[in-house]
Amino acid sequence: MNSSQALYSERGNARGNSEQWTTAADPGLAVTTRGAVPAADVTRAVRAIGRVLRRHHLDVPARVRVTAPADIDQPTVVQANVRLHDTPARVQVTGPRGFAVTFAVERLDRQITRLSANETRAWPDPARPPLARVTEPRPIVRRKSVSLLTGTPGEAMAILDAMDYDAYLFIDQTTGEEAIVHWSELLGVGVSRQHSTDAELAANSLPLTVDSSPAPHLTELDAAAWLCCTGLAYLFYTDADTGRGRLLYRRYDGDLSIVVPAD
């Protein structure tokens, strides 16, 4: 690596042992590391993602996060965010140390190619198996208060796809209630609403199947217990206290995160 490509640590953060890296050659490409991420993985991320962006003629910022667990036998998590013609796009994958960055770069390349051609991802997706397993109760370690999209299930599905989510919380403009779109193992994409269960829909090349049951009414504590004991990857429910829809999901480290509508 020459002097223009040398990595610079822009800032360190004691919380979570995180640090951000960039280069003079690609100042818009920043890599944030959490945990003991090898320097070779940071270098690999900067070089490889820079090549992907140049191959697709994208002169846009990119944000990459590489998280190495304390247990070296657990997978490294890599997330990459870019903007594709003013549309946010993201990939998130796991893999062994030394390979996870390569997996993420390959997935980002395919994601940009597919979105540029307006193609929907193939499903089921073997590269993104669901985080579904029965566990002991796990804590909610992150809360995301989000201003939700108000739109159609088809519009929500486009975001689900571009952002590489497993499920996406939005407000259904037809019913005015919170809903999610989510990948369905056999049918492509499913729609779960708080109350309405009318059948519909189709968007792009995948069918949108409306779940036949309304979202359950639960407290946050009960929702977390339900998700863990039943082995779900995520759970959409109506909060018993607020009446609003919420999306609880399992993180790669096994703990939980929750998405709640901003007031």
Side-chain angles (χ1 to χ4, degrees):
M1 179 177 287
N2 61 39
S3 59
S4 66
Q5 294 175 313
L7 289 167
Y8 300 98
S9 175
E10 292 187 334
R11 67 173 183 269
N13 187 341
R15 182 183 180 184
N17 190 27
S18 67
E19 198 162 6
Q20 189 177 72
W21 302 84
T22 189
T23 70
D26 290 299
L29 200 167
V31 179
T32 300
T33 60
R34 296 179 179 175
V37 177
D41 278 0
V42 180
T43 301
R44 187 178 297 112
V46 169
R47 288 178 169 175
I49 290 178
R51 285 196 297 268
V52 167
L53 296 179
R54 288 189 290 273
R55 182 161 59 250
H56 291 280
H57 307 291
L58 293 174
D59 184 16
V60 296
R63 296 292 179 265
V64 183
R65 187 174 70 220
V66 184
T67 303
D71 184 349
I72 61 173
D73 293 328
Q74 295 299 312
T76 295
V77 182
V78 181
Q79 177 178 308
N81 292 66
V82 300
R83 295 192 69 85
L84 180 62
H85 308 303
D86 297 324
T87 299
R90 186 194 80 139
V91 297
Q92 187 178 56
V93 297
T94 63
R97 294 192 182 193
F99 292 93
V101 168
T102 300
F103 296 164
V105 170
E106 292 172 349
R107 188 172 182 85
L108 180 64
D109 191 20
R110 293 194 301 269
Q111 180 88 321
I112 293 173
T113 298
R114 187 174 54 76
L115 293 174
S116 297
N118 198 30
E119 296 176 351
T120 304
R121 91 171 61 168
W123 189 256
D125 185 349
R128 282 290 303 274
L131 298 174
R133 61 185 183 273
V134 175
T135 65
E136 295 296 321
R138 301 296 292 262
I140 297 173
V141 297
R142 187 178 183 191
R143 305 178 65 84
K144 300 179 182 179
S145 180
V146 178
S147 296
L148 301 182
L149 164 78
T150 298
T152 67
E155 291 169 332
M157 175 192 158
I159 297 173
L160 172 83
D161 191 16
M163 296 299 289
D164 210 11
Y165 294 143
D166 293 327
Y168 177 68
L169 180 66
F170 71 108
I171 298 174
D172 189 333
Q173 69 178 23
T174 300
T175 64
E177 61 193 74
E178 271 91 40
I180 65 165
V181 287
H182 59 93
W183 295 105
S184 176
E185 183 174 353
L186 298 176
L187 299 174
V189 180
V191 181
S192 297
R193 296 183 172 125
Q194 284 186 280
H195 311 293
S196 304
T197 59
D198 295 336
E200 296 183 33
L201 301 160
N204 297 339
S205 60
L206 289 176
L208 287 172
T209 303
V210 178
D211 293 346
S212 59
S213 299
H217 281 70
L218 299 168
T219 66
E220 189 172 287
L221 184 62
D222 288 340
W226 187 352
L227 183 145
C228 291
C229 74
T230 57
L232 296 174
Y234 52 83
L235 175 63
F236 172 59
Y237 70 98
T238 296
D239 182 68
D241 296 324
T242 66
R244 301 295 300 274
R246 295 188 173 188
L247 176 60
L248 180 70
Y249 65 93
R250 194 185 302 272
R251 296 155 47 96
Y252 280 106
D253 61 8
D255 289 336
L256 310 180
S257 289
I258 190 167
V259 180
V260 304
D263 291 338

